[in-house]
Amino acid sequence: MKGNFNTFMQKEIYEQPESVVNTMRGRVNFDAQTVVLGGLKEYMPEIRRCRRLIFIACGTSYHSTVATRQLMEELTELPVMVELASDFLDRQTPVFRDDVCFFVSQSGETADTLLALRFCKRRGALIVGVTNTVGSSISRESHCGVHINAGPEIGVASTKAYTSQFIALVMFGLMMCEDSISKIQRRTEIIMGLKKLPSHIREVLKLDDKIRSLAQELYQQKSLLVMGRGYNYATCLEGALKVKELTYMHSEGILAGELKHGPLAMVDKSMPIVMFVMNDELKQKTMNALSQVTTRGGRPIIICNEGDEELLNSGLRVIEIPQAVDALQGILTVIPMQLLSFHIAVLKGFDVDCPRNLAKSVTVE
């Protein structure tokens, strides 16, 4: 079952080069530059006519929707709402007949997401399910949907399902803009980026030993702050969630643009910080945040793109990952956080596959 690995979670992290290919198999034609999601094909005219897209999920699945929201807004030019299912239900959010509601869940049985689905269905919205489980409640009760084909995920903390959900949502965005002439260049760039993803993920997985040595430094700490902005904000949330789930440390994903509105007060020389600084449009803004942190005595671990001389010469600890298309960078940046939280949990002697107080599928409200 676990092959050469000690835990299911480690096996699932290392399966990601294959699982992302399985998510795209038969759907992305790299030669013709086309993307077809069979489960949505018949409903595309209806989806294109909608007034807004609402993405509803919990936990890691919610972070996959946050990760793809910016790209979705760019490709569809529609208002995109991203909602936590429990909060969405608590607010009794207004939903209309010309809305399209996406429900993202690994198991397809998540109670809050399922109740939110029924709430939207009663109000006449089009329901799209995105799950990893054939025949699950969400896949049965939705009008149409996408199966992410990540393969069975046994570890409670979700790893490969997150990257596959991310890619499934990117593929939907690419389908939505296939007839837009102004977006041809951007589509081509993203489709070529998807083609290179498996080899990029393998490159990131080679950093395992370096990340294990960072875990040695961090595992006795009480807290960890994870900072980034733009496309990497979702990685901060997801990375912090992995640290909470597996290591029982306090951890927080912080939007770098919000630093001066409070979180900067926590920064000093003893506070462990991980920071994402990628070569994208927001690099200069993220560098400003980095200088704010280092000025206060912070010594963050930097996750950046390969060959970034400015950061390599900064005297800080640096993890270099391959350069990808900005919208897909989040798939590569989350893997060091998955590995880091895994190694910290192992060093602390915790059960990685079954963290305390948690279940794989949350079937109660």
Side-chain angles (χ1 to χ4, degrees), residues 275-288:
M275 221 166 170
F276 296 99
V277 187
M278 296 293 138
N279 288 331
D280 56 20
E281 290 179 4
L282 299 175
K283 183 171 183 196
Q284 200 46 55
K285 291 181 176 181
T286 318
M287 290 299 287
N288 293 345

